[in-house]
């Protein structure tokens, strides 16, 4: 499961509702939640955050928490 998938699970998000509100297909949401090789677009992240009524920065920080600058 991806970081986005874990986040959506912790928030008990209904993916069908997110799909309906955002126009992102249920198949795409499933790929974004389960396949680590699937690339999440910023526009998708923003729409998902709006659909679940959270600050997009919160989702962004959760999804990108493992990224660090090189020393």
């Amino acid at each position: 499961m991806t970081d986005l998938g874990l986040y959506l699970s912790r928030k008990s998000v209904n993916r069908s509702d997110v799909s309906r509100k955002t126009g992102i297909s249920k198949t795409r949401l499933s790929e974004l939640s389960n396949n680590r090789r699937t690339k999440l677009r910023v526009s998708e992240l923003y729409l998902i955050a709006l659909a679940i009524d959270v600050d997009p920065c919160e989702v962004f920080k959760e999804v990108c928490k493992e990224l660090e600058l090189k020393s």
Side-chain angles (χ1 to χ4, degrees), residues 24-53:
I24 301 169
S25 72
K26 288 187 256 184
T27 303
R28 177 71 177 159
L29 287 171
S30 181
E31 282 292 314
L32 291 170
S33 297
N34 297 312
N35 186 348
R36 290 197 169 270
R37 295 189 311 165
T38 302
K39 301 296 182 190
L40 174 63
R41 295 181 196 109
V42 172
S43 58
E44 292 170 325
L45 182 144
Y46 186 74
L47 289 172
I48 291 167
L50 292 178
I52 62 175
D53 199 29

Side-chain angles (χ1 to χ4, degrees), residues 45 49 54-62:
L45 182 144
V54 298
D55 183 357
C57 291
E58 179 183 332
V59 181
F60 188 78
K61 286 178 184 177
E62 185 65 29

